[in-house]
């Protein structure tokens, strides 16, 4: 319960202040628990920066990209608080997500991840990082304590809404499609397989 309260407290803090910049992040993991998986994480974050403190919140997708579980994915929310020490940025955060797909019985439903990371800038927009992670599907056979490697890009624009924030026009789209897999994508498939997916996209100007 303390972990859930921490996450929602972080969510309220970040969403109650004006965002100053946005970023996108690619993270590569090798899950080393009872279900070995090669994992890719994508994050799309808004940030609030202080003199040395950085708080961020946003959307996250995670998926297995190689091996037995190609096609498995989750979608959720990520929040973090960070501190900058000289050129090194340190942060810790939490992800809460849900998902399924190929091999869903091994990890269908709730997933959470705790992470601490240190990143070093390559230039003013790009940075590399290494992190320590605890990831778990409480109702499944996917859990892991492992290191991860990240590539982070700060987008070339900022978002500074006025003090009285208006609601701009937006849209909601329902998405659906089919992903095709063979033995190279998911080695538990002997011939060809199909994975149906669906979701909702929120767009806001």
């Amino acid at each position: 319960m303390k972990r859930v309260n921490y996450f929602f407290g972080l969510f309220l803090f970040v969403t109650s202040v004006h965002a100053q910049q946005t970023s996108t992040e690619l993270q590569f993991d090798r899950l080393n628990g009872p279900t070995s998986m090669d994992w890719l994480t994508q994050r799309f974050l808004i940030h609030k920066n202080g003199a040395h403190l950085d708080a961020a919140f946003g959307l996250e997708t995670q998926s297995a990209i190689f091996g037995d579980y190609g096609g498995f994915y989750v979608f959720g929310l990520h929040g973090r608080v960070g501190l900058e020490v000289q050129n090194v940025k340190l942060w810790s955060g939490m992800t809460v997500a849900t998902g399924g797909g190929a091999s869903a019985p091994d990890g269908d439903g709730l997933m959470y991840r705790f992470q601490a990371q240190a990143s070093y800038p390559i230039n003013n927009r790009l940075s590399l990082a290494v992190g320590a992670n605890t990831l778990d599907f409480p109702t499944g056979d996917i859990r892991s304590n492992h290191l991860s490697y990240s590539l982070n890009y700060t987008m070339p624009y900022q978002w500074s809404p006025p003090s009285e924030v208006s609601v701009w026009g937006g849209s909601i789209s329902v998405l659906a499609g089919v992903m095709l897999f063979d033995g190279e994508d998911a080695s538990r498939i002997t011939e060809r397989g199909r994975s149906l997916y669906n979701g909702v996209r929120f767009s806001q100007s």
Side-chain angles (χ1 to χ4, degrees), residues 129-151:
V130 61
N133 299 258
T134 294
L135 181 151
D136 189 23
F137 287 78
T139 60
D141 269 338
I142 301 174
R143 60 184 179 274
S144 180
N145 297 309
H146 62 274
L147 295 178
S148 60
Y149 306 93
S150 300
L151 181 66

Side-chain angles (χ1 to χ4, degrees), residues 73-182:
Y73 67 92
V74 297
F75 175 83
L77 301 173
H78 174 79
R80 68 174 66 163
V81 173
L83 181 68
E84 186 171 353
V85 180
Q86 295 180 349
N87 286 332
V88 178
K89 292 183 178 180
L90 308 172
W91 63 260
S92 62
M94 179 179 178
T95 297
V96 175
T98 186
S103 307
D106 300 287
D108 196 18
L110 174 67
M111 186 215 81
Y112 66 85
R113 179 212 290 264
F114 297 96
Q115 183 172 351
Q117 183 165 293
S119 64
Y120 187 82
I122 299 174
N123 55 41
N124 61 343
R125 295 203 180 279
L126 198 63
S127 63
L128 291 174
V130 61
N133 299 258
T134 294
L135 181 151
D136 189 23
F137 287 78
T139 60
D141 269 338
I142 301 174
R143 60 184 179 274
S144 180
N145 297 309
H146 62 274
L147 295 178
S148 60
Y149 306 93
S150 300
L151 181 66
N152 187 81
Y153 179 71
T154 301
M155 297 179 191
Y157 56 85
Q158 295 184 337
W159 178 41
S160 299
S163 56
E164 295 182 4
V165 179
S166 303
V167 178
W168 294 283
S171 66
I172 299 176
S173 306
V174 178
L175 311 176
V178 180
M179 300 181 71
L180 302 178
F181 299 97
D182 56 23

Side-chain angles (χ1 to χ4, degrees), residues 25-37:
E25 180 177 315
L26 288 177
Q27 178 171 300
F28 303 94
D29 304 79
R30 170 66 63 89
L31 274 59
N32 57 14
T35 304
S36 179
M37 302 170 82

